[in-house]
């Protein structure tokens, strides 16, 4: 059951504040109708039903249960708040001042809790996009036309930022591919991020990111000037195993020796794997692990995600080939966000949002 119409109304009304929105008669009538529907479905589940009917009703009941539970908590808190308010009105003598102070503090805590519960309930009513619950494949690519080494250095910093953010959110961050540059920067990397609501929270990160800074090394103080570079972030929904079926006959699997610095397996064994999907010509590779078998499994995950991306683009025509839009031309005209270190400023150009204290922001 999808409550998209009411969800769209909520999105348009949230700017008026949670309190004003909660008093909306249409919303209250809608919530009461959901409570009645939840009760009706519960009664039906007590009857003998066909397996398909019971399965469909269980799904509807499971969707409505969190809404009804939160609404019940809100009503109980509101009742408790009114009782405290009435008690405060009776506490007028000097001897009762301390008790009145405690009661007012408790009432403030209840009011804060009610606001949080209302916000949580309204979010449940918001329509979810199809892939919001999926895990994600995140790629970073250094800019190819501007900035020189600053692009690779910035790409590494952004990749590290997302890795640290995943750790902060208790998400799983699995590096699938990592191609460093000799200067200590990063040319390209990909990672699989798994956890609750990963794609929903990261999907707007896709696009060209620009950096403006004075390089820390290589220039004297009197010659320092601002350098500009770009890198691209690509975020794709990670499909479930059942979403994409790949015929082994459609694959060409090549092995080669891993490249890069360090590691006993580098340049000594054919542990790196490249997989080409013949019908589409799509190619992926992995050389991070010492095991050819594990590298093959990792490359298959990336390939499955890329093929899934094509399916997403077909189903969601309005996205117009999502990955291509995120990559753009990799130059500054396509930027979605700028990290200006000299002015200690982060700017999101899509929503005209600015944030200071840049060192904390990334």
């Amino acid at each position: 059951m999808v409550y998209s119409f009411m969800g769209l109304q909520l999105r348009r009304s949230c700017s008026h504040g949670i309190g004003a929105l909660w008093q909306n008669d249409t919303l209250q009538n809608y919530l009461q109708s959901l409570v009645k529907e939840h009760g009706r479905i519960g009664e039906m589940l007590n009857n003998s039903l066909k397996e398909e009917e019971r399965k469909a009703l269980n799904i509807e009941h499971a969707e409505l249960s969190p809404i009804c539970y939160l609404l019940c908590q809100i009503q109980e808190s509101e009742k408790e708040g009114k009782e405290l308010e009435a008690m405060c009105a009776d506490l007028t003598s000097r001897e009762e001042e301390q008790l009145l102070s405690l009661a007012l503090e408790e009432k403030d805590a209840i009011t804060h809790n009610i606001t949080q519960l209302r916000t949580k309930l309204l979010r449940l009513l918001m329509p979810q996009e199809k892939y919001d619950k999926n895990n994600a494949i995140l790629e970073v690519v250094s800019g190819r036309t501007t900035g020189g080494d600053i692009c690779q250095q910035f790409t590494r910093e952004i990749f590290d930022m997302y890795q640290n953010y995943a750790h902060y959110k208790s998400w799983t961050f699995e590096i699938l591919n990592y191609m460093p540059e000799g200067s200590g920067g990063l040319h390209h990397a990909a990672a699989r991020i798994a956890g609750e609501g990963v794609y929903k929270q990261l999907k707007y990160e896709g696009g060209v990111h620009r950096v403006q800074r004075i390089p820390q090394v290589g220039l004297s103080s009197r010659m320092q000037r601002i350098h500009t570079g770009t890198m691209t972030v690509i975020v794709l929904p990670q499909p479930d195993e059942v979403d994409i079926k790949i015929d082994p006959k459609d694959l060409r699997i090549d092995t080669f020796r891993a490249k890069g610095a360090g590691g006993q397996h580098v340049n000594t064994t054919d542990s790196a794997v490249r997989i080409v999907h013949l019908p589409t010509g799509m190619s992926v590779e992995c050389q991070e692990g010492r095991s050819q078998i594990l590298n093959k499994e990792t490359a298959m995950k990336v390939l499955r995600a890329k093929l899934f991306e094509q399916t997403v683009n077909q189903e969601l025509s309005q996205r117009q080939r999502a990955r291509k839009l995120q990559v753009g031309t990799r130059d500054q005209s396509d930027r979605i966000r700028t990290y200006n270190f000299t002015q200690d400023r982060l700017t999101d150009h899509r929503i005209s949002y600015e944030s200071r204290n840049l060192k904390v922001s990334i």
Side-chain angles (χ1 to χ4, degrees):
M1 184 180 295
V2 179
Y3 311 107
S4 58
F5 177 73
M6 176 57 68
L8 290 173
Q9 286 185 323
L10 291 175
R11 282 181 176 173
R12 294 167 185 161
S13 304
C14 278
S15 58
H16 299 295
I18 298 298
L21 177 59
W22 188 258
Q23 303 302 324
N24 184 281
D25 291 338
T26 302
L27 173 62
Q28 291 300 321
N29 292 335
Y30 180 70
L31 289 172
Q32 292 305 316
S33 68
L34 295 184
V35 172
K36 292 180 181 179
E37 180 69 7
H38 182 260
R40 185 185 69 84
I41 294 174
E43 293 178 359
M44 292 178 64
L45 288 172
N46 293 327
N47 302 327
S48 57
L49 299 168
K50 295 181 179 179
E51 184 177 351
E52 292 183 357
E53 293 177 340
R54 181 172 294 278
K55 184 177 180 180
L57 288 174
N58 276 326
I59 292 174
E60 290 191 48
H61 195 266
E63 289 182 355
L64 289 170
S65 292
I67 296 174
C68 295
Y69 175 73
L70 283 173
L71 185 59
C72 182
Q73 283 189 308
I74 291 170
Q75 291 171 343
E76 290 179 357
S77 296
E78 288 175 338
K79 181 180 178 181
E80 188 176 351
K82 290 180 180 179
E83 292 175 352
L84 271 174
E85 188 175 348
M87 185 180 73
C88 290
D90 295 334
L91 298 176
T92 56
S93 65
R94 292 183 178 180
E95 292 78 7
E96 296 171 329
E97 285 183 359
Q98 186 175 2
L99 183 59
L100 176 61
S101 177
L102 293 174
L104 289 174
E105 288 181 7
E106 186 176 354
K107 185 177 182 301
D108 289 340
I110 291 174
T111 301
H112 178 70
N113 183 51
I114 290 173
T115 301
Q116 289 186 318
L117 290 172
R118 288 175 177 176
T119 301
K120 191 173 181 180
L121 188 148
L122 293 176
R123 284 177 180 169
L124 284 178
L125 297 177
M126 297 284 190
Q128 300 289 317
E129 293 189 16
K130 186 173 182 180
Y131 305 108
D132 279 353
K133 295 182 179 180
N134 285 50
N135 298 326
I137 296 292
L138 180 139
E139 291 184 59
V140 295
V141 184
S142 173
R144 60 187 177 187
T145 57
T146 60
D149 290 344
I150 195 174
C151 293
Q152 285 81 38
Q153 293 171 0
F154 183 54
T155 302
R156 177 180 57 80
E157 291 173 344
I158 290 297
F159 189 71
D160 291 344
M161 177 187 73
Y162 288 122
Q163 187 171 14
N164 291 333
Y165 182 68
H167 178 72
Y168 169 76
K169 298 287 289 185
S170 298
W171 293 340
T172 300
F173 192 92
E174 177 188 358
I175 297 178
L176 305 178
N177 196 17
Y178 197 89
M179 298 176 61
E181 290 290 335
S183 61
L186 180 62
H187 174 66
H188 172 267
R192 176 181 178 269
I193 308 178
E196 184 177 354
V198 168
Y199 182 69
K200 179 180 180 180
Q201 297 188 49
L202 294 181
K203 61 184 177 181
Y204 296 114
E205 295 297 303
V208 175
H209 296 233
R210 181 177 68 169
V211 63
Q212 294 176 314
R213 65 167 21 143
I214 298 174
Q216 296 180 357
V217 295
L219 293 173
S220 64
S221 58
R222 63 185 180 84
M223 295 178 62
Q224 286 184 344
R225 60 185 177 86
I226 298 174
H227 285 226
T228 299
T230 63
M231 57 81 63
T232 300
V233 177
I234 304 160
V235 183
L236 305 174
Q238 169 68 39
D240 298 326
E241 293 295 327
V242 297
D243 287 337
I244 298 296
K245 295 181 180 179
I246 301 176
D247 191 339
K249 297 179 181 179
D250 292 336
L251 301 178
R252 188 183 80 234
I253 302 177
D254 304 321
T255 59
F256 58 96
R257 292 187 178 181
K259 301 176 182 179
Q264 295 181 0
H265 72 295
V266 174
N267 297 321
T268 59
T269 60
D270 292 338
S271 60
V273 175
R274 180 186 297 111
I275 301 178
V276 180
H277 188 246
L278 298 177
T280 62
M282 192 174 293
S283 174
V284 297
E285 63 181 55
C286 180
Q287 57 178 355
E288 290 308 300
R290 298 187 180 187
S291 167
Q292 185 183 112
I293 295 175
L294 293 179
N295 283 339
K296 179 181 176 182
E297 292 177 355
T298 300
M300 284 298 296
K301 290 180 181 179
V302 178
L303 177 62
R304 185 173 284 107
K306 290 181 178 291
L307 292 175
F308 183 64
E309 175 205 356
Q310 288 188 343
T311 304
V312 170
N313 290 330
Q314 293 172 0
E315 294 178 353
L316 309 176
S317 57
Q318 68 272 23
R319 293 193 179 184
Q320 298 284 325
R321 301 187 65 84
R323 187 177 189 277
K324 183 177 180 181
L325 289 176
Q326 291 181 37
V327 174
T329 61
R330 295 196 217 173
D331 61 26
Q332 298 182 42
S333 61
D334 289 329
R335 68 188 184 277
I336 65 166
R337 190 175 297 155
T338 294
Y339 298 78
N340 190 314
F341 285 86
T342 59
Q343 298 179 10
D344 195 30
R345 171 175 53 84
L346 182 149
T347 303
D348 194 304
H349 303 285
R350 297 164 296 181
I351 57 176
S352 300
Y353 171 79
E354 286 192 1
S355 175
R356 300 288 174 171
N357 201 8
L358 188 56
K359 293 182 180 179
V360 176
S361 299
I362 70 169

